[in-house]
Amino acid sequence: MSDVSYNAFTDAQKQFDHAADLLDLDRATRDLLRTPLREFHFNIPVRMDDGKVKVFQGYRVMHNDARGPAKGGIRFHPQETIDTVRALAMWMTWKTAVVDLPLGGGKGGIICDPHNLSPYEQERLCRGWIRQIYKNIGPDTDIPAPEVMTNAQHMLWMLDEYEVITGSRQPGVITGKPVGMGGSLGRAEATGYGVIIALREALKELEIDPSTTTASVQGFGNVSQYAIELYQQMGGTVKCVSSWVQDQQESFSLCKDDGIDLEELKSITNTFGGIDFSKAVKMGYKMFPGDEWMNQEVDILIPAALENQITTANVNSINKSVKVIGEAANGPTSPDASKLIDKKGIYTIPDFLANAGGVTCSYFEQVQSNMNYYWEKDEVLSKLDIKMTGGFIAVSDFARSNKLKMRDAAYVISVNRVAQACKDRGWV
Ligand code: NAD
């Protein structure tokens, strides 16, 4: 994201064009799916703690809702752009389709750095975002959720503002809410756990015992921490993690040959997933430059930070030992780097399949909120496992029988489902 020449939407369109070619899609369907159905750009004036008003730029993009209401998170990031939101919205359409949820794809964002905003300013920003978009979202139309640098508290402020404006209780309008306030048990774990469920299935196919494997993970936020938790429960060893250091505006990697201690690192990590590196070094971790997580002698790489992290510029620093990449982040690998990874014979679990656990559990949360009846955690997690395993096996079978890579197979399945829904509705 920090590379100014990078455009996530260009990459997302390139990936779509390739899938459209594989499916031999007609012109009208390509035109419909290549760009979002609708998008909203707006200013959000916020009264700051010093009494002055600051205007933030906000977005909501609905890429496609032929299969059901749009669904997707709201990201807070200083480098957010409308093209990043468009790409993320398009990837949401493919993600909901690949695990066969009755939902479409959307995404939202605000250009801001919450590190520099007080909790009161963040609350006013959340409420301001809702004031601008409340007419265009809803439990039956478009359901936002947390994303990078947004959390359950942000979702609750947004829900409250929506309910105050509409004069009704509408817990199904937003997911990722706190448990006890309309949130689902298991939602916090869902994306990271889903990545590891997909990884478990991939290792089964490759006949590799997870407990003999080692991994290196980029990022140490929500997705990464829960992915590491389940991977360690399966007996795997995480040798390296990386995270962003706000003061220095760059990332670093932290490594330990005999494996990181998840709880120990969590205890020195802020709510944005930023690790206190000086404390980690005192605890015995070795500190390296940001890209070093890729260079580790491990079996598995899990990019779980942001898009465009594995590119043609650094793909050759991937260690020869790597056998599997589980793409936990959205769009972590550029299309050109992905081709080179395929040539190296590394097995990739593509992003919108690997990280579909988040939206799957968001869907469960929406169902529970709409019924106002909440399930036990075990029930949520077992339903998550069924959906993720089913999605993985469908893609893997299709890849094998059509001699496709996993990414191409996932794209063909998803784009075909969405194209068919558009046709069935008579849109194209
Ligand atoms: P988060 O904000 O909780 O954590 C992000 C982590 O990445 C932090 O540890 C941060 O320090 C680190 N980071 C940022 N820039 C970095 C860099 N250049 N190098 C190394 N580390 C860096 O975000 P999250 O919710 O864990 O999301 C991570 C990724 O997963 C994103 O791509 C997001 O779109 C995707 N995703 C999230 C969910 C979800 O439910 N949260 C669902 C699907 C996909």
Side-chain angles (χ1 to χ4, degrees):
M1 245 188 133
S2 50
D3 174 1
V4 284
S5 64
Y6 166 69
N7 185 312
F9 191 44
T10 308
D11 276 3
Q13 287 187 314
K14 236 189 236 178
Q15 291 164 334
F16 167 73
D17 290 342
H18 181 54
D21 288 344
L22 288 172
L23 280 162
D24 200 17
L25 279 190
D26 62 86
R27 184 77 264 152
T29 309
R30 282 175 196 246
D31 290 348
L32 185 67
L33 296 181
R34 223 176 165 268
T35 49
L37 270 183
R38 61 190 83 91
E39 53 185 57
F40 303 88
H41 304 209
F42 40 87
N43 286 338
I44 309 168
V46 173
R47 177 85 51 198
M48 307 299 278
D49 291 348
D50 64 5
K52 294 189 183 133
V53 171
K54 191 169 171 190
V55 179
F56 293 85
Q57 181 71 47
Y59 305 108
R60 186 72 188 171
V61 172
M62 295 170 205
H63 172 259
N64 191 280
D65 58 4
R67 288 172 44 84
K71 184 90 194 75
I74 307 161
R75 180 179 288 193
F76 284 0
H77 203 282
Q79 265 98 49
E80 188 72 316
T81 67
I82 182 61
D83 275 341
T84 310
V85 185
R86 286 175 178 141
L88 290 163
M90 188 191 259
W91 289 329
M92 284 307 296
T93 303
W94 315 140
K95 193 179 305 190
T96 52
V98 81
V99 283
D100 209 6
L101 301 175
L103 295 169
K107 210 80 178 192
I110 302 179
I111 304 174
C112 69
D113 190 343
H115 289 98
N116 305 328
L117 297 172
S118 74
Y120 292 120
E121 289 167 342
Q122 292 180 42
E123 177 178 351
R124 290 192 285 269
L125 188 57
C126 289
R127 292 182 185 278
W129 191 86
I130 286 291
R131 281 202 291 275
Q132 296 301 328
I133 196 71
Y134 78 94
K135 286 184 187 148
N136 305 102
I137 61 169
D140 302 324
T141 50
D142 183 9
I143 305 111
E147 232 270 349
V148 170
M149 289 207 269
T150 50
N151 58 35
Q153 176 63 73
H154 296 120
M155 298 306 109
L156 188 55
W157 286 324
M158 289 184 177
L159 172 72
D160 185 66
E161 188 68 20
Y162 184 87
E163 291 186 334
V164 167
I165 294 171
T166 59
S168 57
R169 285 280 173 258
Q170 302 273 359
V173 73
I174 204 156
T175 60
K177 304 178 291 292
V179 171
M181 292 299 292
S184 173
L185 290 163
R187 175 60 187 92
E189 291 88 341
T191 311
Y193 276 20
V195 171
I196 301 306
I197 293 167
L199 176 66
R200 179 193 72 200
E201 295 305 307
L203 293 176
K204 228 183 254 174
E205 290 204 352
L206 298 169
E207 296 180 359
I208 299 172
D209 174 357
S211 68
T212 64
T213 63
T214 53
S216 178
V217 185
Q218 187 191 33
F220 199 64
N222 167 270
V223 178
S224 165
Q225 290 180 18
Y226 284 109
I228 293 171
E229 184 174 284
L230 190 59
Y231 175 68
Q232 289 183 335
Q233 280 171 22
M234 287 183 349
T237 304
V238 176
K239 289 172 75 170
C240 190
V241 295
S242 71
S243 97
W244 183 253
V245 179
Q246 180 66 10
D247 294 345
Q248 290 168 255
Q249 290 290 298
E250 61 180 315
S251 61
F252 290 96
S253 301
L254 279 178
C255 304
K256 213 178 210 184
D257 282 344
D258 57 351
I260 65 135
D261 181 326
L262 178 62
E263 293 308 317
E264 179 180 73
L265 281 187
K266 272 164 66 175
S267 74
I268 56 165
T269 300
N270 67 23
T271 54
F272 303 110
I275 304 171
D276 185 330
F277 279 76
S278 55
K279 283 190 183 153
V281 169
K282 283 186 198 138
M283 289 168 167
Y285 290 84
K286 288 189 203 135
M287 185 172 162
F288 296 103
D291 266 0
E292 198 59 28
W293 72 279
M294 283 171 63
N295 195 12
Q296 298 303 303
E297 195 181 330
V298 290
D299 306 295
I300 297 154
L301 290 182
I302 302 180
L306 288 173
E307 52 279 358
N308 201 39
Q309 296 302 304
I310 306 177
T311 66
T312 50
N314 63 10
V315 68
N316 284 327
S317 62
I318 293 179
N319 197 291
K320 287 194 170 53
S321 60
V322 172
K323 300 173 189 72
V324 181
I325 298 180
E327 293 185 333
N330 286 309
T333 313
S334 75
D336 290 340
S338 182
K339 283 183 203 148
L340 296 173
I341 286 169
D342 288 345
K343 272 197 192 140
K344 287 174 191 280
I346 299 173
Y347 184 108
T348 300
I349 312 169
D351 52 359
F352 66 91
L353 172 63
N355 68 30
V359 72
T360 300
C361 198
S362 269
Y363 166 62
F364 296 155
E365 178 177 329
Q366 205 207 355
V367 170
Q368 294 169 79
S369 287
N370 290 340
M371 291 190 302
N372 207 9
Y373 171 70
Y374 291 87
W375 310 334
E376 298 300 324
K377 189 168 179 178
D378 282 354
E379 187 176 353
V380 175
L381 293 181
S382 79
K383 282 184 160 72
L384 174 72
D385 201 320
I386 291 167
K387 264 286 178 206
M388 286 303 297
T389 305
F392 180 92
I393 290 173
V395 172
S396 167
D397 286 352
F398 190 82
R400 204 173 311 107
S401 53
N402 292 281
K403 297 194 169 44
L404 291 172
K405 293 287 175 197
M406 285 291 279
R407 191 185 313 278
D408 286 346
Y411 262 104
V412 168
I413 290 174
S414 300
V415 173
N416 191 43
R417 281 182 181 157
V418 179
Q420 192 59 48
C422 294
K423 276 192 180 57
D424 291 347
R425 283 179 181 274
W427 292 357
V428 281

